[in-house]
Amino acid sequence: MSENRWEGIDEFVAVAECSQFTAAAERLGVSSSHVSRQIVRLEERLQTRLLYRSTRRVTLTEAGQTFLQHCQRLQDGREEALRAVGDLTSEPKGMLRMTCAVAYGERFIVPLVTRFMGLYPQLRIDIELSNRQLDLVHEGLDLAIRLGRLQDSRLVATRLAPRRMYLCASPSYLERYGRPHSLSELSRHNCLIGSSDIWQLEQNGREFSQRVQGNWRCNSGQAVLDAALQGVGLCQLPDYYVLEHLHSGALISLLEAHQPPNTAVWALYPQQRHLSPKVRKLVDFLKVGLAERPEYRE
């Protein structure tokens, strides 16, 4: 019968961390003699001394210090593997804290999250709708839904849905002021400014930022849309605001060759080895739910 190569590792780590055989035995729920016997066998297998023993405390040899670091990583990996397998069949439960932009969250995310909660009665959800990009780690958030391009490389990202920006205006505005046919003509038009006066555009396959100007500004996408529909000026808005109005003819898409490449709707969560069931299953649910909406079946 071959030796169990894992024998003695838990005992060794416990003694190294407690600096005593008695305290290590109490932590493991076994006798001190059992701990001592396992470590002696471990040292025999390794053919090296791991511990200096005295009547009062135990200290690590140089080999013991090196071995301890590897054993602690082995323990962490073993526990992570056990959690990963267990989580595959676990139901989401406990608190899940998340954030999303206000307008997109109200229209798309919150209704799906509410449906998700109905499937898992042990789950509690705390949603903060904010147009500020909250720090997930600092704020203790499990999940963020972000739109556009990602900037925080510390976070893990899953693409939930496409997102396309449209530059457009109403027929009444174009009748009065004409239709722009080049990027240089944008400066002659009244541009409706939302949360930023920088528009993302593309030229010769390269994306660039262009500052625009106009006599109207509001940090609400819905308000920008309403002003565009009333013929106040040009707007640049995401697909979910304007597609319905482009189809009906209430808005006209402009400078399509210069529209920026597709961005996306993202689920972001703090870096970690294994996603908890509640986050993983909610992200999957959101991806399927968004794909079923008419805005994303285009």
Side-chain angles (χ1 to χ4, degrees), residues 106 112 233 267 290:
E106 289 175 341
L112 288 172
L290 289 174

Side-chain angles (χ1 to χ4, degrees), residues 41-53:
R41 291 174 179 172
L42 180 63
E43 289 178 322
E44 288 174 351
R45 290 204 307 276
L46 296 173
Q47 296 186 340
T48 188
R49 172 174 279 192
L50 300 173
L51 303 171
Y52 293 120
R53 300 158 174 84

Side-chain angles (χ1 to χ4, degrees), residues 44 105 111 127 130 164 194 196 215 243 251 259 272 276 281 286 294:
E44 288 174 351
I127 309 174
S130 173
R164 183 182 175 103
S196 172
N215 63 6
L243 280 178
L251 291 175
Q259 290 293 71
Q272 57 193 66
S276 66
K281 290 187 178 181
L286 292 175

